[in-house]
Amino acid sequence: MTTCSLCGGACTGADLRALLDPCLTWLWRRVADRADALGDPDQSSGRMKINAPDTAAERYSARGLIGEAPLHPGQSRSVNLASLCTRLQIHGATLTPGAVAAHAVGRPLGTAVKERRAAKALARRRAQYGQELLADLPPTAPYRPDPNTCWQTLRSTNWEARVTKALEPEALLERAAAVLAALPTDHRVDRRVLAHTITGNPHALDRGTDLGGLVLAMLAGNIPRESRKGLRTAWAHLNVDCDTFTGGLISINMYPRGWRVPRPPLILTSSHLAKCTWRPPSERSPWIFITENPSVAAAALATGSPHRLVCTNGTPSTTALLALTRMCTAGWKLAVRADFDAAGLRHVNTLLQALPGAVPWRMNSTDYQDSVHPDPFQLDLLDVEALPETPWDPTLRQDMSVIGQPAYEEALIAVLCADLILGRPSSSRRAADHSEIHVGQREALDAVGAT
Protein backbone atom coordinates (compact mmCIF):
# COMPACT_ATOMS: atom_id res chain seq x y z
CA MET A 1 0.00 0.00 0.00
CA THR A 2 1.34 3.41 -0.99
CA THR A 3 1.62 6.02 1.76
CA CYS A 4 -0.14 9.30 1.01
CA SER A 5 2.41 11.93 -0.01
CA LEU A 6 0.30 14.72 1.53
CA CYS A 7 -0.53 13.41 5.01
CA GLY A 8 1.69 10.36 5.43
CA GLY A 9 -1.25 7.91 5.39
CA ALA A 10 -3.55 9.49 8.02
CA CYS A 11 -6.28 9.61 5.36
CA THR A 12 -6.32 5.81 4.92
CA GLY A 13 -9.95 4.57 4.91
CA ALA A 14 -11.31 8.09 5.45
CA ASP A 15 -14.12 9.85 3.57
CA LEU A 16 -12.89 13.41 3.02
CA ARG A 17 -15.61 14.62 0.69
CA ALA A 18 -17.59 16.61 3.25
CA LEU A 19 -14.47 17.94 4.97
CA LEU A 20 -13.02 19.28 1.73
CA ASP A 21 -16.08 21.39 0.92
CA PRO A 22 -14.85 24.70 -0.54
CA CYS A 23 -16.67 26.56 2.23
CA LEU A 24 -14.20 25.03 4.76
CA THR A 25 -11.03 25.98 2.89
CA TRP A 26 -10.52 29.06 5.08
CA LEU A 27 -10.37 26.88 8.21
CA TRP A 28 -7.89 24.39 6.73
CA ARG A 29 -5.65 27.22 5.49
CA ARG A 30 -5.45 28.52 9.05
CA VAL A 31 -4.54 25.02 10.27
CA ALA A 32 -1.92 24.75 7.51
CA ASP A 33 -0.36 28.09 8.47
CA ARG A 34 -0.06 26.98 12.09
CA ALA A 35 1.42 23.62 11.05
CA ASP A 36 4.05 25.33 8.91
CA ALA A 37 4.96 27.81 11.63
CA LEU A 38 5.38 25.15 14.33
CA GLY A 39 6.72 22.33 12.21
CA ASP A 40 3.91 20.07 13.44
CA PRO A 41 2.05 18.45 10.52
CA ASP A 42 -0.63 16.78 12.70
CA GLN A 43 -2.05 19.77 14.62
CA SER A 44 -3.88 17.43 17.01
CA SER A 45 -3.20 19.31 20.27
CA GLY A 46 -3.17 22.84 21.66
CA ARG A 47 -5.39 25.73 20.81
CA MET A 48 -5.66 27.76 17.62
CA LYS A 49 -7.10 31.23 17.19
CA ILE A 50 -9.34 31.80 14.18
CA ASN A 51 -11.09 34.83 12.75
CA ALA A 52 -14.55 34.26 11.36
CA PRO A 53 -14.80 34.63 7.57
CA ASP A 54 -17.08 37.21 5.98
CA THR A 55 -19.53 34.91 4.18
CA ALA A 56 -22.37 33.22 6.03
CA ALA A 57 -21.86 29.95 4.13
CA GLU A 58 -18.23 29.67 5.32
CA ARG A 59 -19.17 30.47 8.94
CA TYR A 60 -22.10 28.00 8.93
CA SER A 61 -20.05 25.14 7.38
CA ALA A 62 -17.58 25.20 10.31
CA ARG A 63 -20.16 25.07 13.14
CA GLY A 64 -20.05 21.32 13.61
CA LEU A 65 -16.26 21.26 13.73
CA ILE A 66 -15.34 24.19 15.97
CA GLY A 67 -18.43 24.29 18.21
CA GLU A 68 -22.14 24.80 17.90
CA ALA A 69 -22.17 28.48 18.88
CA PRO A 70 -22.64 30.56 15.75
CA LEU A 71 -19.77 32.70 14.46
CA HIS A 72 -20.28 36.35 13.58
CA PRO A 73 -18.37 38.35 10.97
CA GLY A 74 -14.98 39.48 12.29
CA GLN A 75 -15.33 37.44 15.50
CA SER A 76 -12.26 35.64 16.93
CA ARG A 77 -12.46 32.23 18.56
CA SER A 78 -10.00 29.86 20.21
CA VAL A 79 -10.35 26.33 18.84
CA ASN A 80 -9.38 23.24 20.85
CA LEU A 81 -7.45 21.14 18.32
CA ALA A 82 -7.82 17.92 20.30
CA SER A 83 -11.61 18.32 20.16
CA LEU A 84 -11.44 19.11 16.46
CA CYS A 85 -9.39 15.94 15.95
CA THR A 86 -12.05 13.85 17.73
CA ARG A 87 -14.78 15.27 15.50
CA LEU A 88 -12.74 14.58 12.36
CA GLN A 89 -12.23 10.94 13.28
CA ILE A 90 -15.91 10.32 12.68
CA HIS A 91 -14.89 10.53 9.00
CA GLY A 92 -11.68 8.51 9.38
CA ALA A 93 -10.12 6.71 12.35
CA THR A 94 -6.66 8.30 12.00
CA LEU A 95 -7.55 11.74 10.65
CA THR A 96 -6.00 14.82 12.21
CA PRO A 97 -6.64 18.52 11.50
CA GLY A 98 -3.25 18.71 9.81
CA ALA A 99 -3.99 15.71 7.57
CA VAL A 100 -7.24 17.26 6.31
CA ALA A 101 -5.56 20.65 5.88
CA ALA A 102 -2.77 19.04 3.81
CA HIS A 103 -5.36 17.65 1.40
CA ALA A 104 -7.21 20.97 1.31
CA VAL A 105 -4.11 23.01 0.36
CA GLY A 106 -2.56 20.23 -1.74
CA ARG A 107 0.87 19.95 -0.07
CA PRO A 108 2.60 18.37 2.94
CA LEU A 109 2.63 20.59 6.04
CA GLY A 110 5.35 21.58 8.48
CA THR A 111 8.20 20.87 6.09
CA ALA A 112 9.80 24.32 6.23
CA VAL A 113 10.66 24.06 9.92
CA LYS A 114 11.97 20.54 9.46
CA GLU A 115 14.10 21.69 6.57
CA ARG A 116 15.50 24.57 8.63
CA ARG A 117 16.30 22.22 11.49
CA ALA A 118 17.92 19.76 9.11
CA ALA A 119 19.95 22.58 7.53
CA LYS A 120 21.18 23.72 10.94
CA ALA A 121 22.13 20.17 11.88
CA LEU A 122 23.96 19.78 8.57
CA ALA A 123 25.80 23.07 9.11
CA ARG A 124 26.86 21.88 12.58
CA ARG A 125 28.20 18.61 11.13
CA ARG A 126 30.12 20.46 8.42
CA ALA A 127 31.53 22.88 10.97
CA GLN A 128 32.72 19.94 13.04
CA TYR A 129 34.24 18.33 9.95
CA GLY A 130 36.01 21.56 9.04
CA GLN A 131 37.39 21.90 12.57
CA GLU A 132 38.64 18.31 12.45
CA LEU A 133 40.44 19.01 9.16
CA LEU A 134 42.14 22.05 10.67
CA ALA A 135 43.12 20.08 13.77
CA ASP A 136 44.65 17.38 11.55
CA LEU A 137 46.91 19.74 9.58
CA PRO A 138 50.47 18.37 9.61
CA PRO A 139 52.94 19.93 12.04
CA THR A 140 54.98 21.13 9.06
CA ALA A 141 52.12 23.34 7.81
CA PRO A 142 53.23 26.99 8.22
CA TYR A 143 49.75 28.12 9.19
CA ARG A 144 47.66 26.04 11.59
CA PRO A 145 44.73 28.24 12.69
CA ASP A 146 42.96 27.34 15.92
CA PRO A 147 39.91 25.31 14.80
CA ASN A 148 37.41 26.92 17.19
CA THR A 149 38.58 30.50 16.67
CA CYS A 150 38.82 29.99 12.91
CA TRP A 151 35.28 28.64 12.67
CA GLN A 152 33.90 31.49 14.78
CA THR A 153 35.47 33.86 12.25
CA LEU A 154 33.95 31.94 9.34
CA ARG A 155 30.55 32.09 11.01
CA SER A 156 30.76 35.82 11.71
CA THR A 157 31.88 36.59 8.14
CA ASN A 158 29.11 34.43 6.59
CA TRP A 159 31.60 31.91 5.23
CA GLU A 160 30.01 29.08 7.19
CA ALA A 161 26.75 29.67 5.30
CA ARG A 162 28.63 29.93 2.01
CA VAL A 163 30.36 26.59 2.64
CA THR A 164 27.01 24.96 3.46
CA LYS A 165 25.52 26.20 0.18
CA ALA A 166 28.49 25.07 -1.92
CA LEU A 167 27.99 22.33 -4.49
CA GLU A 168 30.37 19.96 -2.66
CA PRO A 169 30.85 21.37 0.87
CA GLU A 170 32.98 18.53 2.26
CA ALA A 171 35.24 18.52 -0.80
CA LEU A 172 35.58 22.32 -0.56
CA LEU A 173 36.72 22.02 3.07
CA GLU A 174 39.14 19.23 2.18
CA ARG A 175 40.72 21.26 -0.63
CA ALA A 176 41.01 24.33 1.61
CA ALA A 177 42.85 22.24 4.22
CA ALA A 178 45.08 20.84 1.46
CA VAL A 179 45.97 24.38 0.34
CA LEU A 180 46.85 25.34 3.92
CA ALA A 181 49.08 22.28 4.20
CA ALA A 182 50.80 23.08 0.89
CA LEU A 183 51.60 26.75 1.55
CA PRO A 184 55.38 27.24 1.30
CA THR A 185 57.67 28.37 4.12
CA ASP A 186 61.09 28.89 2.53
CA HIS A 187 60.19 29.79 -1.06
CA ARG A 188 57.42 31.37 -3.09
CA VAL A 189 54.86 29.66 -5.30
CA ASP A 190 52.74 30.82 -8.21
CA ARG A 191 49.06 30.86 -7.24
CA ARG A 192 47.97 29.07 -10.40
CA VAL A 193 50.56 26.34 -9.91
CA LEU A 194 49.38 25.88 -6.32
CA ALA A 195 45.75 25.77 -7.46
CA HIS A 196 46.46 23.22 -10.17
CA THR A 197 48.44 21.01 -7.78
CA ILE A 198 45.59 20.87 -5.28
CA THR A 199 42.56 20.93 -7.56
CA GLY A 200 43.55 20.25 -11.16
CA ASN A 201 42.33 23.74 -12.13
CA PRO A 202 44.83 26.63 -12.19
CA HIS A 203 42.02 29.12 -11.64
CA ALA A 204 40.53 27.47 -8.53
CA LEU A 205 42.11 30.12 -6.24
CA ASP A 206 41.25 33.13 -8.42
CA ARG A 207 39.30 36.11 -7.17
CA GLY A 208 35.63 35.24 -6.60
CA THR A 209 36.12 31.49 -6.17
CA ASP A 210 34.80 29.71 -3.10
CA LEU A 211 38.11 27.97 -2.50
CA GLY A 212 40.29 31.07 -2.76
CA GLY A 213 37.98 33.10 -0.55
CA LEU A 214 37.66 30.34 2.04
CA VAL A 215 41.44 29.90 2.36
CA LEU A 216 41.96 33.62 2.93
CA ALA A 217 39.04 33.71 5.37
CA MET A 218 40.53 30.80 7.34
CA LEU A 219 43.87 32.61 7.56
CA ALA A 220 42.49 36.06 8.29
CA GLY A 221 44.02 35.90 11.76
CA ASN A 222 47.45 35.13 10.28
CA ILE A 223 47.47 37.99 7.77
CA PRO A 224 48.25 41.51 9.06
CA ARG A 225 45.35 43.89 8.77
CA GLU A 226 47.16 46.14 6.30
CA SER A 227 47.82 43.14 4.04
CA ARG A 228 44.15 42.15 3.92
CA LYS A 229 43.18 45.26 1.95
CA GLY A 230 44.18 43.78 -1.38
CA LEU A 231 43.94 40.27 -2.75
CA ARG A 232 47.51 40.28 -4.07
CA THR A 233 48.99 41.54 -0.81
CA ALA A 234 47.05 38.94 1.18
CA TRP A 235 48.38 36.08 -0.97
CA ALA A 236 51.85 37.63 -1.02
CA HIS A 237 51.95 37.47 2.78
CA LEU A 238 51.40 33.70 2.43
CA ASN A 239 54.37 33.35 0.00
CA VAL A 240 51.95 33.00 -2.92
CA ASP A 241 52.45 35.14 -6.03
CA CYS A 242 49.50 36.21 -8.16
CA ASP A 243 49.89 37.14 -11.82
CA THR A 244 52.80 39.55 -11.64
CA PHE A 245 53.34 39.76 -15.42
CA THR A 246 51.05 42.03 -17.41
CA GLY A 247 51.15 43.51 -20.89
CA GLY A 248 51.03 42.40 -24.48
CA LEU A 249 53.92 39.89 -24.43
CA ILE A 250 56.22 38.66 -21.67
CA SER A 251 59.67 38.06 -23.11
CA ILE A 252 62.51 36.16 -21.49
CA ASN A 253 65.90 36.49 -23.25
CA MET A 254 64.28 37.73 -26.49
CA TYR A 255 64.44 41.48 -27.07
CA PRO A 256 63.66 43.83 -29.97
CA ARG A 257 66.56 44.97 -32.16
CA GLY A 258 68.60 47.68 -30.45
CA TRP A 259 67.22 47.02 -26.96
CA ARG A 260 69.46 46.33 -23.98
CA VAL A 261 67.76 44.78 -20.96
CA PRO A 262 69.82 44.24 -17.77
CA ARG A 263 67.81 41.24 -16.65
CA PRO A 264 64.63 39.43 -17.76
CA PRO A 265 61.68 39.43 -17.95
CA LEU A 266 60.72 42.16 -20.38
CA ILE A 267 57.09 43.29 -20.64
CA LEU A 268 56.35 44.41 -24.19
CA THR A 269 53.20 46.52 -24.44
CA SER A 270 51.08 46.88 -27.56
CA SER A 271 52.72 50.22 -28.42
CA HIS A 272 56.15 48.55 -28.43
CA LEU A 273 54.93 45.51 -30.36
CA ALA A 274 53.38 47.61 -33.11
CA LYS A 275 56.78 48.85 -34.35
CA CYS A 276 59.52 46.64 -32.94
CA THR A 277 61.75 44.47 -35.14
CA TRP A 278 63.92 41.50 -34.21
CA ARG A 279 67.51 40.63 -34.90
CA PRO A 280 68.11 37.26 -36.61
CA PRO A 281 69.35 34.25 -34.65
CA SER A 282 73.10 34.12 -34.36
CA GLU A 283 73.59 31.56 -31.61
CA ARG A 284 73.41 27.79 -31.61
CA SER A 285 69.69 27.60 -30.75
CA PRO A 286 67.26 29.32 -33.15
CA TRP A 287 64.21 28.33 -31.09
CA ILE A 288 61.75 30.61 -29.31
CA PHE A 289 59.17 28.91 -27.08
CA ILE A 290 55.68 30.42 -27.08
CA THR A 291 53.31 29.83 -24.16
CA GLU A 292 50.00 31.48 -23.25
CA ASN A 293 50.49 31.07 -19.53
CA PRO A 294 52.35 33.46 -17.16
CA SER A 295 52.88 30.55 -14.73
CA VAL A 296 55.09 28.86 -17.30
CA ALA A 297 57.00 32.12 -17.82
CA ALA A 298 57.56 32.50 -14.07
CA ALA A 299 58.78 28.91 -13.76
CA ALA A 300 61.03 29.27 -16.81
CA LEU A 301 62.60 32.39 -15.36
CA ALA A 302 63.46 30.46 -12.19
CA THR A 303 65.52 27.91 -14.14
CA GLY A 304 68.07 30.49 -15.24
CA SER A 305 68.06 29.09 -18.77
CA PRO A 306 69.65 31.35 -21.41
CA HIS A 307 67.11 30.25 -24.03
CA ARG A 308 64.08 32.24 -25.15
CA LEU A 309 60.46 32.12 -24.12
CA VAL A 310 57.61 34.48 -24.94
CA CYS A 311 54.26 34.46 -23.10
CA THR A 312 51.16 35.77 -24.87
CA ASN A 313 49.00 36.11 -21.72
CA GLY A 314 46.22 34.15 -23.38
CA THR A 315 45.19 34.53 -27.00
CA PRO A 316 47.43 37.22 -28.53
CA SER A 317 46.07 40.41 -30.02
CA THR A 318 46.50 41.14 -33.72
CA THR A 319 49.39 43.47 -32.84
CA ALA A 320 51.13 40.75 -30.79
CA LEU A 321 50.51 38.16 -33.52
CA LEU A 322 52.12 40.42 -36.13
CA ALA A 323 55.12 40.91 -33.83
CA LEU A 324 55.47 37.13 -33.52
CA THR A 325 55.23 36.82 -37.30
CA ARG A 326 58.17 39.23 -37.64
CA MET A 327 60.20 36.87 -35.41
CA CYS A 328 59.63 34.12 -37.98
CA THR A 329 60.57 36.49 -40.81
CA ALA A 330 63.81 37.30 -38.96
CA GLY A 331 64.70 33.60 -39.05
CA TRP A 332 63.58 32.33 -35.64
CA LYS A 333 61.83 28.98 -35.21
CA LEU A 334 58.75 29.15 -32.97
CA ALA A 335 57.39 26.29 -30.87
CA VAL A 336 53.86 27.06 -29.65
CA ARG A 337 51.50 25.59 -27.07
CA ALA A 338 48.47 26.34 -24.84
CA ASP A 339 46.01 24.64 -22.50
CA PHE A 340 44.21 21.49 -23.61
CA ASP A 341 40.71 22.92 -23.94
CA ALA A 342 38.67 24.39 -26.79
CA ALA A 343 40.18 27.87 -26.38
CA GLY A 344 43.70 26.45 -26.17
CA LEU A 345 43.29 24.38 -29.34
CA ARG A 346 41.93 27.41 -31.19
CA HIS A 347 44.88 29.42 -29.87
CA VAL A 348 47.42 26.88 -31.21
CA ASN A 349 45.61 26.60 -34.55
CA THR A 350 45.74 30.37 -34.92
CA LEU A 351 49.46 30.53 -34.17
CA LEU A 352 50.35 27.63 -36.46
CA GLN A 353 48.42 29.18 -39.33
CA ALA A 354 49.79 32.69 -38.79
CA LEU A 355 53.46 31.97 -37.97
CA PRO A 356 55.52 30.58 -40.85
CA GLY A 357 57.34 27.40 -39.86
CA ALA A 358 55.89 27.28 -36.31
CA VAL A 359 55.52 23.85 -34.73
CA PRO A 360 53.42 22.53 -31.83
CA TRP A 361 55.26 22.26 -28.52
CA ARG A 362 54.17 19.26 -26.45
CA MET A 363 50.64 19.48 -27.82
CA ASN A 364 50.00 15.87 -28.87
CA SER A 365 47.71 13.23 -27.39
CA THR A 366 50.39 11.77 -25.11
CA ASP A 367 51.10 15.23 -23.67
CA TYR A 368 47.37 15.72 -23.08
CA GLN A 369 47.04 12.42 -21.25
CA ASP A 370 50.10 13.28 -19.13
CA SER A 371 48.44 16.61 -18.24
CA VAL A 372 45.01 15.33 -17.14
CA HIS A 373 44.68 15.75 -13.38
CA PRO A 374 43.89 12.39 -11.71
CA ASP A 375 41.57 13.82 -9.05
CA PRO A 376 40.25 17.26 -10.03
CA PHE A 377 38.12 19.30 -7.64
CA GLN A 378 34.77 20.30 -9.16
CA LEU A 379 35.49 18.57 -12.45
CA ASP A 380 35.13 20.73 -15.53
CA LEU A 381 33.82 18.93 -18.59
CA LEU A 382 34.92 19.77 -22.10
CA ASP A 383 32.39 21.05 -24.58
CA VAL A 384 33.28 18.33 -27.05
CA GLU A 385 31.27 19.93 -29.86
CA ALA A 386 33.36 23.11 -29.49
CA LEU A 387 36.73 21.36 -29.85
CA PRO A 388 38.39 22.40 -33.11
CA GLU A 389 40.31 19.98 -35.30
CA THR A 390 43.95 19.30 -34.41
CA PRO A 391 45.62 18.70 -37.76
CA TRP A 392 49.10 18.42 -36.19
CA ASP A 393 47.81 15.33 -34.28
CA PRO A 394 44.29 14.15 -35.27
CA THR A 395 44.21 11.70 -32.35
CA LEU A 396 44.46 14.61 -29.88
CA ARG A 397 40.92 15.83 -30.54
CA GLN A 398 39.62 12.25 -30.51
CA ASP A 399 41.23 11.46 -27.16
CA MET A 400 40.08 14.75 -25.62
CA SER A 401 36.54 13.96 -26.75
CA VAL A 402 36.70 10.52 -25.12
CA ILE A 403 38.27 11.64 -21.82
CA GLY A 404 36.14 14.79 -21.73
CA GLN A 405 38.33 16.72 -19.28
CA PRO A 406 40.44 19.84 -19.87
CA ALA A 407 44.12 19.87 -18.91
CA TYR A 408 46.33 22.84 -18.21
CA GLU A 409 49.88 23.97 -18.90
CA GLU A 410 50.69 23.96 -15.18
CA ALA A 411 50.63 20.17 -15.27
CA LEU A 412 53.64 20.09 -17.64
CA ILE A 413 55.74 22.88 -16.15
CA ALA A 414 58.66 20.58 -15.28
CA VAL A 415 58.99 19.11 -18.78
CA LEU A 416 58.42 22.48 -20.43
CA CYS A 417 61.26 23.96 -18.40
CA ALA A 418 63.42 20.98 -19.31
CA ASP A 419 62.83 21.70 -23.00
CA LEU A 420 63.69 25.33 -22.41
CA ILE A 421 66.97 24.37 -20.72
CA LEU A 422 67.88 22.15 -23.67
CA GLY A 423 66.99 24.94 -26.08
CA ARG A 424 64.74 22.92 -28.37
CA PRO A 425 61.24 21.37 -28.28
CA SER A 426 61.43 17.70 -27.40
CA SER A 427 59.19 14.71 -27.99
CA SER A 428 56.73 13.62 -25.33
CA ARG A 429 59.10 12.57 -22.58
CA ARG A 430 59.02 13.45 -18.92
CA ALA A 431 61.64 15.83 -17.53
CA ALA A 432 63.46 12.97 -15.80
CA ASP A 433 64.30 11.52 -19.24
CA HIS A 434 66.36 14.55 -20.31
CA SER A 435 69.84 13.15 -19.72
CA GLU A 436 71.48 16.13 -21.44
CA ILE A 437 70.52 18.57 -18.71
CA HIS A 438 73.49 19.92 -16.76
CA VAL A 439 73.62 19.12 -13.01
CA GLY A 440 73.20 22.77 -12.05
CA GLN A 441 70.28 23.11 -14.44
CA ARG A 442 68.78 19.93 -13.00
CA GLU A 443 68.82 21.49 -9.52
CA ALA A 444 67.05 24.57 -10.86
CA LEU A 445 64.50 22.39 -12.61
CA ASP A 446 63.91 20.33 -9.47
CA ALA A 447 63.28 23.58 -7.57
CA VAL A 448 60.65 24.54 -10.14
CA GLY A 449 59.01 21.13 -9.81
CA ALA A 450 58.94 21.50 -6.03
CA THR A 451 56.77 24.59 -6.33
Side-chain angles (χ1 to χ4, degrees):
M1 182 174 60
T2 303
T3 301
C4 177
S5 61
L6 296 176
C7 67
C11 64
T12 302
D15 183 359
L16 297 177
R17 287 174 296 179
L19 298 173
L20 297 181
D21 187 291
C23 289
L24 287 172
T25 300
W26 68 273
L27 175 62
W28 304 130
R29 283 179 178 163
R30 179 65 188 92
V31 173
D33 290 343
R34 188 175 189 274
D36 289 337
L38 299 179
D40 172 19
D42 292 333
Q43 292 297 290
S44 57
S45 62
R47 303 190 72 86
M48 175 185 72
K49 183 179 179 181
I50 62 171
N51 293 318
D54 293 333
T55 69
E58 288 177 318
R59 295 194 300 273
Y60 182 82
S61 295
R63 286 183 59 184
L65 296 174
I66 61 174
E68 295 301 325
L71 284 170
H72 303 288
Q75 179 185 358
S76 295
R77 178 173 294 181
S78 178
V79 176
N80 186 317
L81 290 172
S83 298
L84 175 57
C85 187
T86 300
R87 296 187 180 100
L88 293 177
Q89 289 175 356
I90 297 173
H91 301 269
T94 57
L95 283 180
T96 64
V100 179
H103 282 270
V105 298
R107 59 178 174 81
L109 305 183
T111 56
V113 171
K114 289 183 177 180
E115 289 171 357
R116 286 196 296 270
R117 290 171 180 168
K120 289 181 180 179
L122 186 60
R124 286 194 297 270
R125 290 196 297 272
R126 284 173 179 157
Q128 182 179 1
Y129 184 55
Q131 290 171 318
E132 291 172 353
L133 289 172
L134 292 175
D136 289 340
L137 284 174
T140 55
Y143 301 100
R144 302 179 74 242
D146 176 75
N148 293 325
T149 303
C150 177
W151 211 263
Q152 290 172 4
T153 300
L154 296 182
R155 184 173 293 119
S156 65
T157 55
N158 203 42
W159 267 102
E160 181 185 54
R162 188 166 173 177
V163 168
T164 299
K165 294 176 182 178
L167 184 62
E168 299 177 84
E170 288 79 9
L172 175 61
L173 291 169
E174 291 165 2
R175 294 309 190 280
V179 172
L180 264 59
L183 289 173
T185 55
D186 55 356
H187 63 280
R188 303 192 69 80
V189 65
D190 185 279
R191 182 176 61 176
R192 284 182 290 194
V193 174
L194 175 63
H196 184 272
T197 301
I198 300 301
T199 72
N201 183 348
H203 302 292
L205 294 173
D206 285 2
R207 180 189 298 273
T209 61
D210 284 347
L211 182 59
L214 178 58
V215 169
L216 293 180
M218 284 179 161
L219 294 180
N222 301 93
I223 302 174
R225 185 176 298 275
E226 61 272 13
S227 296
R228 298 181 213 163
K229 296 178 181 179
L231 195 66
R232 291 176 181 272
T233 55
W235 282 113
H237 183 81
L238 304 174
N239 287 329
V240 177
D241 292 325
C242 297
D243 306 332
T244 55
F245 296 145
T246 58
L249 291 177
I250 302 167
S251 179
I252 297 175
N253 299 324
M254 181 62 185
Y255 312 121
R257 187 191 296 270
W259 284 40
R260 292 183 178 275
V261 179
R263 56 186 300 177
L266 172 65
I267 310 298
L268 292 168
T269 64
S270 295
S271 60
H272 293 135
L273 294 173
K275 53 190 176 182
C276 71
T277 59
W278 313 95
R279 61 177 177 81
S282 58
E283 302 171 11
R284 62 178 181 177
S285 176
W287 287 100
I288 300 175
F289 297 89
I290 309 296
T291 176
E292 68 165 322
N293 197 321
S295 296
V296 177
L301 189 63
T303 68
S305 167
H307 298 295
R308 296 163 181 80
L309 179 137
V310 171
C311 174
T312 63
N313 277 310
T315 300
S317 65
T318 300
T319 300
L321 194 59
L322 290 173
L324 294 175
T325 303
R326 291 197 295 275
M327 289 182 186
C328 298
T329 304
W332 294 96
K333 296 181 179 180
L334 272 58
V336 303
R337 67 161 292 105
D339 290 329
F340 289 104
D341 56 14
L345 297 187
R346 288 194 296 270
H347 174 95
V348 171
N349 267 314
T350 298
L351 293 180
L352 293 178
Q353 292 168 13
L355 306 178
V359 299
W361 175 27
R362 291 196 180 272
M363 283 298 296
N364 65 30
S365 179
T366 301
D367 302 314
Y368 165 65
Q369 293 177 54
D370 286 346
S371 304
V372 173
H373 197 281
D375 183 28
F377 173 55
Q378 295 181 345
L379 174 66
D380 288 330
L381 296 178
L382 285 172
D383 182 356
V384 175
E385 298 298 325
L387 291 177
E389 296 298 328
T390 53
W392 65 90
D393 180 6
T395 62
L396 172 58
R397 186 185 187 280
Q398 297 171 14
D399 291 344
M400 290 178 66
S401 298
V402 171
I403 295 175
Q405 182 180 331
Y408 302 96
E409 289 196 80
E410 283 81 0
L412 290 178
I413 276 182
V415 291
L416 299 181
C417 288
D419 289 348
L420 187 66
I421 289 173
L422 288 176
R424 64 177 183 270
S426 302
S427 59
S428 300
R429 297 178 294 169
R430 298 193 181 277
D433 294 334
H434 288 270
S435 56
E436 302 170 56
I437 298 176
H438 185 272
V439 173
Q441 295 172 327
R442 167 66 62 197
E443 292 174 353
L445 183 59
D446 289 342
V448 172
T451 64

